[in-house]
Amino acid sequence: MQRYFSHPLLKPEKLEYREYQAKIWETCLKGNCLVVLPTGLGKTVIAILTAAERLRLHPEGRIIVLAPSRPLAHQHYQKFKEAFNLPEENFTLLTGETPPAKRGNLKARLVFATPQALENDLLAGRISLENVVLMVFDEAHRAVGNHPYVFLAEEYLRRSRSPLILALTASPGSGKEHIEAVKR
């Protein structure tokens, strides 16, 4: 008999239960995390579960999921919409293709964006990080040097009233130094 994750904000029988995902999810709720799992083992499921619980704990909060490309941001947008039991207006996708006029005064609780779009919106004052209760960084191994992920993480930790970072990657880097840089 198949088992599924159960959460009040998620559709029933949508996410198949995996014990290792449950344990990682439990850890992610305790503090900022870098989750390193090979492709296909459910990093997105862990992000969905973490987002659902953060929204339950912070009903006025917002989640931002970042992905380095428009297709990947759109993929996350679709996966979260399929899993969450929330109306359509709770989801929005922000990429360079979204006109700036449509990116301000967002009502959505779940925002999916490319880091460049979010950085531009933040610098232009179109978005606030104050009520963001979870920021997910997909392909987190990019979060070094001058990549927008670095700026966004610093600003998020500085501006949010209740910050939590979930960084996801299948390949954190080959050397300990690079992995430490990503974690920082």
Side-chain angles (χ1 to χ4, degrees):
M1 181 166 94
Q2 270 187 322
R3 293 175 43 207
Y4 295 88
F5 284 104
S6 176
H7 192 279
L9 295 177
L10 299 177
K11 293 175 184 170
E13 297 187 5
K14 201 66 179 166
L15 301 175
E16 196 173 317
Y17 182 86
R18 302 267 192 275
E19 188 171 348
Y20 69 91
Q21 290 171 332
K23 289 182 180 196
I24 294 169
W25 172 40
E26 188 177 298
T27 301
C28 292
L29 292 171
K30 295 177 184 174
N32 297 336
C33 278
L34 171 62
V35 174
V36 180
L37 282 174
T39 300
L41 289 184
K43 292 180 292 293
T44 303
V45 169
I46 293 164
I48 289 169
L49 293 166
T50 305
E53 185 61 9
R54 291 295 283 181
L55 286 179
R56 187 189 69 76
L57 293 171
H58 304 275
E60 300 302 316
R62 176 180 285 169
I63 308 296
I64 295 179
V65 178
L66 296 165
S69 69
R70 286 190 296 259
L72 194 50
H74 189 266
Q75 181 180 324
H76 287 304
Y77 171 78
Q78 288 300 122
K79 293 280 186 191
F80 275 66
K81 275 179 48 175
E82 290 169 10
F84 272 83
N85 192 16
L86 293 172
E88 177 86 23
E89 62 268 13
N90 282 274
F91 303 87
T92 195
L93 180 63
L94 302 177
T95 68
E97 294 177 337
T98 312
K102 290 189 173 185
R103 297 197 310 237
N105 298 319
L106 294 173
K107 304 284 188 258
R109 295 175 72 192
L110 293 126
V111 177
F112 303 84
T114 57
Q116 296 82 4
L118 184 64
E119 181 179 42
N120 290 339
D121 287 351
L122 194 57
L123 292 172
R126 286 188 291 264
I127 196 164
S128 168
L129 300 177
E130 193 173 284
N131 68 341
V132 175
V133 296
L134 175 67
M135 191 174 284
V136 178
F137 293 84
D138 193 21
E139 302 288 331
H141 56 276
R142 299 169 185 260
V144 294
N146 291 329
H147 193 278
Y149 274 0
V150 176
F151 168 76
L152 293 170
E154 289 170 351
E155 288 298 302
Y156 174 58
L157 291 172
R158 200 166 57 81
R159 296 181 184 205
S160 174
R161 288 188 301 241
S162 185
L164 181 66
I165 288 178
L166 174 55
L168 308 170
T169 187
S171 53
S174 58
K176 185 176 180 174
E177 289 173 19
H178 184 79
I179 295 168
E180 290 300 322
V182 171
K183 284 170 47 180
R184 276 192 305 279

